[in-house]
Amino acid sequence: MLQDARSVASRSSQEAEIAGPASPEFIDFDRLLAAVRRQWRLVAVLGLIGLLLGIAYVMTAVPRYTASSNLLIDQGSNRIVDELSTSGGSIEDESGILSQVELLKSDQIGNKVIDALHLTSDESFMHSSVSLLRRVKLAVVSVVDISSWFRAPEEEADDEAEKRLTALALLGNDLDVARVGRSYVLSISYTSPDPVMAARVAQAFANAYLADQLDSKYEATRRASSWLQQRIDELRQKSLETDLAVQRFRAEKGLIAADGRLVSDQQLTELNSQLTLAQADVATARAKMDRIQSLLESGDTNSVVNDALASTVINELRTKYLDAAKRQAEISNRLGNDHAQAVRLRAEMENYKQLMFSELGRIAESYRSDLQVAQAREAAVQRSVADATSVSAGANETQVQLRELEREAETYRNLYQTFLQRYQEAVQQQSFPITEARVITDAQVPTAPSKPRKPLVLAISLFIGLAAGSALGAFREFRDRFFRTGDQVREELGLAYLGSVPHVKDKALAIPTQKAGTGTEASDRYLRANNAVARYVLDHPLSSFAETLRSAKIAADLAISHQKKIIGVISVLPSEGKSMISANLAELIASHGSSAILIDGDIRNPGLTRAVARHATAGLLEAVMDERPLKDCILVDPETKLALVPAVVKHRVPHTADLLSSVNMTTLLDEASNAFDYVVLDLPPLGPVVDVRAIAPRIDAFIFVVEWGKTARRVVRSTLAANPQIAEKTLGVILNKVDTEKMKLYRDFGSDEYYTSRYSSYYHQGK
C-alpha cells in the first residue's frame, strides 16, 4: 500500500521524465507575459498617475526663456605668455577646453557680470527668478552651514554682500556652458523668465570672459617680466661667481694648460712616444744578438749577418776559404783525399774558418753592448713615464672637480642668455596683450519659451509612472511565494496535483432544507448544515469543485489496495478549508453509493462540527474517552446516508495527541473501517500541533489541502520535509479557495490551467 502511495505521490516526476528534460531558457517569455498580465493594471494606474502629475506640472509651470552666445577659442593667436611659462598655457586639448568651461562658471566671471548689469539692484532679477524650490534649497543650505550659527553680529556680512551671494547663486543655477561637439566653440546659455534678461546675461558672460582673458594675459605678462628681471639679476651674479671659481681653482691646483691641454698631459704623451721607440730599439738589439749568437753556436760558414757582410776582414777570409776549398776539391778528385797537398789545403781552410768566427765574436760583443745601451735607455724612459703618470693622475682627480665647476659655470651662462632674451620679448609684448577667444555669435532675445518642454515632461512623467508601476509589480511578483498552479506543486513538493477547488462564498449560496425526521429525537440524529459549502458537491455535482474531489477519490482508490480505506485530510495552517474539503469528499463518496463515515478529528478546533452538526451532544471525545458505542455518537445525512462523528468539545483537552494515538481511537477506527467502505478524518493542521503525527501510523493515505495564494510554499515544503512519514502517505495536493479569475493570469503554455477554457464546457454549476 505504501509503495502504491509513493507511486501516486511521484507521478509528476515520472511525467517529467517521460516528457524529457526541459531545455533551459535565458528568459522565460511565457512567465514574463503572465507576470505582465497579472500586473498590467497596477502599471497602468501608476503610469496614468505619473502622466496626470506631468500635466499638472506643465499647466502650472512658469515659462522660461533661454538665450545663447557662442565663443571661439582661437588657436591662431600669439602665445608669448605661454612661451614664457615652462609648463605651457595653450588650449590644445580637451582638458584645456573643459578648464575654460569651468572658468566661465566661476565666481570671478559671475561677479563681473553682476557689476556690469548691476544685478544686485535689479529687483526683477533678485526676486522673480527665485522659485519656491530654490528658496527651500537656500534655506536648507543656510541651516546646514553650522559656522553661521556662531557668527557674531559684527562679523555678519553687510546687505550688499548678501545680495551678491544671492545673485551669484541665481546666476549659477540658470547658467549652462557646454562645448559644441568636438570643436573649440563654447556655448553660453542663460535661462530666465524674462527673455530680455536672458539675452543680456548671456552676452554679459561672453564679454566678461573676454575681459577676464585680457586682464589675465596682461597681468601674467607683467608678473612674468618682473620675475624675469629678478631672475636675470640672480643669474648674472651666479654666472660671474662660477667663472671666477673656475679660474681660482686652476690657479690653486696648478692646472696649467697650453693649446687647450694640460702641460702634464702633453709631457706624458711625449714620454709614451719615447718609451715606444726605446722598446723598439731594445727589441732590435736583442734580435741581432740572438741571431749572431746562433751563428756562433752553429759553426756554419755559410750563415752571415749584415755586419759580417760589411766587414772587409771577414770577406777576405771568406774568399781565401772558398779558394782553398776549390783547390782542395780539385786535388782530391785527381790525386785523392790523402794527398799531402789536399791535407794542407784542408788545414788552411780550418784556419780561415777560425779567423772568421773570431771576427764574428767581435761583432757579437758590439751587439751585446748595443743591447745593454738600449735596455738602459728603456728603463730610464719607463721611470720618466711612471713619474709623469703619477703627476697626470693627480691632475685628473683634480680635473673632476674642475669639470664640475666648468659645467656649473656653463649652465648659469646659458640660463642667463636665455632669460635675457625672453625678458626682451616680454618687454616688447607687454604693451599689447591679446586673448585666445572671441565672440562668434551674440545673444539674441528669445521669442519662444525653452522650458518646460511639454512633450518631454509628459513623456518623462509617463515613463516614471510606468517604471514605478513596473518596479512595484516586479516586487509583488518577487514577493508572491504562494502556490498558484499545479506545476508549482509538482516542482516544489514532488507530489501529485489533484486539482483546484474554486473559492465559494457562503453568502452566495442558499442553505439547503434538511429532510425532517419522524420526531424530535430522530431529527437530532440528522446533520443540520448551516454552511452551504459543506454540501457543495451535492448541489453542484458537475462542477470543477466536484471533479477535483473525484480526482482525490480515484487517487485513494488507486493508492490503497485494500477495500476499507482510512483517508486523512490535512493542511499546514488553520483556515485553509480542509474541513469543507473533508465534508464534501465524504458527501461525494456517499453520493456514489459507497458507505462512508466522516470523523471530525480536529478536537481543539472542530470547525467541521460547527458547520454541519452544531446541535450534536456527543461525538469523538465520548466514544474514545467514555467508551460510548460508535452508533450512539453518529449523525447521518438523510440524503446520502453519510455518517458523521462530530467533535463535541465541552472543555479544553490538553492531551489531544495522546487521545488520537490511544488504543480506544485505534479500536474506533477499526470499528468504523469494518462498518464503512471509507473513513474520512478531518485532522488538525500540521503546523501548530502534533496530532497528525500521532495518528499517522493508523491512516492509509493523506490528502493535503493548501490555500491558493495564501499559504507560502516554503512552510509547506519544510513541514513535509519534517514529516517524511506523512509525506510518503500523501496522495496529492488540492489547491483550495482558488480565485478563478486571477487563476487565468497564472497559466503557462502547456499547463493544465492554460486549457481551462477548452474543457470548461464539461463543468456546470447546477445539478
Side-chain angles (χ1 to χ4, degrees), residues 260-435:
R261 295 180 61 193
L262 294 177
V263 174
S264 59
D265 291 342
Q266 295 178 2
Q267 291 176 349
L268 180 60
T269 302
E270 294 176 358
L271 288 173
N272 283 328
S273 300
Q274 295 177 10
L275 178 61
T276 302
L277 294 174
Q279 290 173 345
D281 292 342
V282 170
T284 301
R286 181 176 286 107
K288 289 181 178 181
M289 182 65 189
D290 293 341
R291 175 58 181 167
I292 199 168
Q293 191 69 31
S294 63
L295 290 177
L296 293 174
E297 292 176 356
S298 63
D300 186 4
T301 57
N302 293 322
S303 300
V304 295
V305 294
N306 292 333
D307 289 342
L309 294 175
S311 175
T312 57
V313 176
I314 294 176
N315 289 330
E316 290 177 357
L317 293 173
R318 184 174 181 82
T319 301
K320 292 178 179 181
Y321 177 83
L322 294 174
D323 184 57
K326 180 179 180 183
R327 286 185 288 125
Q328 187 270 339
E330 290 176 355
I331 294 172
S332 295
N333 289 331
R334 286 185 295 109
L335 303 176
N337 289 331
D338 296 332
H339 191 267
Q341 190 64 22
V343 172
R344 184 183 63 80
L345 288 173
R346 283 197 293 271
E348 287 180 4
M349 290 173 59
E350 184 66 27
N351 186 32
Y352 293 147
K353 182 178 180 182
Q354 291 178 357
L355 291 175
M356 283 190 295
F357 277 97
S358 295
E359 187 64 25
L360 286 175
R362 288 192 297 271
I363 294 173
E365 288 298 329
S366 66
Y367 283 176
R368 183 177 291 107
S369 178
D370 292 340
L371 176 60
Q372 292 174 354
V373 171
Q375 289 176 341
R377 184 171 176 272
E378 179 187 14
V381 174
Q382 285 179 345
R383 287 192 295 272
S384 299
V385 168
D387 295 338
T389 301
S390 62
V391 173
S392 180
N396 288 336
E397 293 177 0
T398 308
Q399 274 190 306
V400 173
Q401 302 178 19
L402 177 62
R403 283 193 291 271
E404 180 64 26
L405 292 174
E406 289 176 342
R407 282 195 295 269
E408 185 177 2
E410 183 68 21
T411 300
Y412 279 113
R413 189 159 47 248
N414 293 336
L415 284 175
Y416 174 70
Q417 294 295 333
T418 301
F419 273 78
L420 185 61
Q421 180 181 358
R422 292 193 176 185
Y423 172 72
Q424 296 298 330
E425 294 175 354
V427 170
Q428 295 299 322
Q429 294 295 329
Q430 187 173 353
S431 59
F432 64 100
I434 57 177
T435 179

Side-chain angles (χ1 to χ4, degrees), residues 152 183 360 473 481 523 654 753:
S183 66
L360 286 175
R481 302 174 182 179
S523 177
E753 297 80 6

Side-chain angles (χ1 to χ4, degrees), residues 354-632:
Q354 291 178 357
L355 291 175
M356 283 190 295
F357 277 97
S358 295
E359 187 64 25
L360 286 175
R362 288 192 297 271
I363 294 173
E365 288 298 329
S366 66
Y367 283 176
R368 183 177 291 107
S369 178
D370 292 340
L371 176 60
Q372 292 174 354
V373 171
Q375 289 176 341
R377 184 171 176 272
E378 179 187 14
V381 174
Q382 285 179 345
R383 287 192 295 272
S384 299
V385 168
D387 295 338
T389 301
S390 62
V391 173
S392 180
N396 288 336
E397 293 177 0
T398 308
Q399 274 190 306
V400 173
Q401 302 178 19
L402 177 62
R403 283 193 291 271
E404 180 64 26
L405 292 174
E406 289 176 342
R407 282 195 295 269
E408 185 177 2
E410 183 68 21
T411 300
Y412 279 113
R413 189 159 47 248
N414 293 336
L415 284 175
Y416 174 70
Q417 294 295 333
T418 301
F419 273 78
L420 185 61
Q421 180 181 358
R422 292 193 176 185
Y423 172 72
Q424 296 298 330
E425 294 175 354
V427 170
Q428 295 299 322
Q429 294 295 329
Q430 187 173 353
S431 59
F432 64 100
I434 57 177
T435 179
E436 294 179 337
R438 57 191 175 94
V439 178
I440 59 175
T441 302
D442 293 327
Q444 303 295 328
V445 178
T447 58
S450 59
K451 295 181 180 180
R453 300 178 183 177
K454 296 180 181 180
L456 180 61
V457 170
L458 295 179
I460 292 177
S461 301
L462 178 61
F463 175 76
I464 292 176
L466 294 176
S470 300
L472 185 58
F475 178 75
R476 291 180 63 186
E477 288 292 321
F478 175 75
R479 293 294 300 173
D480 188 6
R481 302 174 182 179
F482 311 110
F483 285 101
R484 302 285 187 177
T485 64
D487 291 338
Q488 292 175 342
V489 172
R490 300 184 187 99
E491 293 173 1
E492 295 286 338
L493 305 179
L495 297 175
Y497 173 59
L498 300 178
S500 61
V501 174
H503 182 60
V504 180
K505 297 181 180 179
D506 297 346
K507 296 180 180 179
L509 300 175
I511 299 175
T513 303
Q514 303 288 339
K515 291 184 179 180
T518 56
T520 303
E521 182 179 356
S523 177
D524 291 340
R525 304 296 297 176
Y526 293 147
L527 299 180
R528 299 177 184 176
N530 56 1
N531 189 332
V533 181
R535 296 174 52 86
Y536 192 86
V537 294
L538 299 179
D539 298 332
H540 307 86
L542 299 179
S543 64
S544 60
F545 189 112
E547 194 65 25
T548 297
L549 296 182
R550 290 190 185 94
S551 174
K553 177 181 179 298
I554 292 175
D557 293 339
L558 294 175
I560 304 173
S561 58
H562 49 80
Q563 185 176 2
K564 306 295 184 177
K565 303 172 180 62
I566 301 177
I567 304 171
V569 181
I570 56 175
S571 66
V572 173
L573 303 176
S575 303
E576 293 194 63
K578 63 175 179 56
S579 297
M580 294 300 100
I581 296 297
S582 303
N584 281 275
L585 177 63
E587 291 284 7
L588 178 71
I589 294 172
S591 66
H592 286 184
S594 301
S595 59
I597 182 171
L598 175 62
I599 300 176
D600 189 354
D602 192 354
I603 301 175
R604 300 193 188 190
N605 185 23
L608 177 62
T609 301
R610 288 194 297 269
V612 298
R614 190 182 294 271
H615 61 288
T617 57
L620 181 63
L621 290 177
E622 287 73 17
V624 175
M625 298 178 65
D626 300 339
E627 299 184 1
R628 293 181 60 175
L630 180 61
K631 62 180 182 179
D632 296 339

Side-chain angles (χ1 to χ4, degrees), residues 676-703:
F676 298 91
D677 297 331
Y678 293 87
V679 178
V680 180
L681 281 84
D682 178 25
L683 296 172
L686 279 172
V689 294
V690 298
D691 295 6
V692 178
R693 277 178 274 179
I695 200 174
R698 296 168 177 80
I699 306 298
D700 294 330
F702 292 97
I703 295 176

